[in-house]
Amino acid sequence: MPTHNDEETIVESINSVIYQDYQNWELIIINDHSEETDAIISQFKDNRIKYLHNSGDIGQLNAINYGVPYISGELVTFLHSDDRFNSSSSLIECVQHFQDITLDGIYSNLRIINEEGYFTGFLRTVPSVSKNLLNGIFLLRGSNIVSDVFFVTKDVFLSVVLNNYLFWNMPYWFYEKTDDKKKIGVNTEKIVDKSTNSLKVLNLKKVKPWYDYRVYKNNYIKSEVGKFETFNGMLRTTLVLSCFIDEFPFSRLPRITEYLIKKYGFSISRKRKYSGSYFDLVCSVYRGIYGEGCVSMNTYLKAILDYYQNYPSSNEIKIPTELIRNCNNWYKGCDARKFYLDVISEGKLDPLYIYIFKHANEGFNIININRKEDQSRMIDLLKFLNIMARVEVIDFQ
């Protein structure tokens, strides 16, 4: 349970766990730089509650990551500190589904509650999770219509969810299997048509709703930083799937597409690399978050739009080694909030990023560096920035 200034709701959230009929649980609460939470948590005298403090306001995904080493159970789920389990039987009913040892996890519709905690309706999801759903996610430009409220085995959590969702802010339920390792991310190597056979989805079962999701005027996702974090993850998901999936002309009618996917799990696409304009692709993700005609532009967004306006490009750029050595901030998808606050709000931008953004308006498909030990970090940097380019090591002399 990551928490940040949810003092008005966290007691209800914790009590929804304590009052479960199923008692063999542990609750790991991570205080993400909240000011008054300590006094509240001290009221709970239960050794099944583990209370942690991270190093600062690092965002929800990083807060969850901070708690990972303290997990000792066989099943893993998470609960927002302003949400709750909807009945005392929620956990025992969920756990019973895992008697089927072939299951990776379970999911469900979410019950929506208002600020006062009253039920107002359902946030409905798809009837089943299959590889066909990946086509729909691409057509919806990375919008994850399977709730991020995961409930999975610990093995699946550590091998798939941790990397896909908690590190890279992408849907937790699909991954690319390469050399018997589960791995997903923007393809930073040569962009080629890739077989969808390498894309895998978790074996998830849809069950009775167990989770109450609170919706109110000041939901995080409606803030500028929330929109930016959502855009960063949705664009990454869309670019990953573009390496595997194309669309037919007129197959992307957002409202009709979303209805067909949610109701029937149905969508139409082609199993080949995306063949359309990547600039239009990126713009459609942007409009989905910021709206039609919105000009909420910042240094990063401008650089990304410039880059894909010139994509694909045959240009190569060289990154001076000192820019890499002197870079103090290396971001992953879980750091989108920190990136926004550091760079967008406070104007803190490492020269390495300035250099890359400067070249974005001309386009490039290869970044050349001088040291092999820097390659992995540069690949992750491009993955975070959602720039589809290769990183190659050459001798500058």
Side-chain angles (χ1 to χ4, degrees), residues 232-245:
N232 182 263
M234 286 177 59
L235 181 56
R236 185 171 301 109
T237 302
T238 301
L239 292 176
V240 167
L241 293 178
S242 75
C243 298
F244 303 87
I245 299 171

Side-chain angles (χ1 to χ4, degrees), residues 70-90:
Y70 300 89
I71 295 173
S72 62
E74 297 177 0
L75 302 174
V76 183
T77 187
F78 89 100
L79 181 66
H80 291 288
S81 55
D82 57 354
D83 298 336
R84 68 192 183 199
F85 292 132
N86 61 36
S87 77
S88 62
S89 61
S90 291

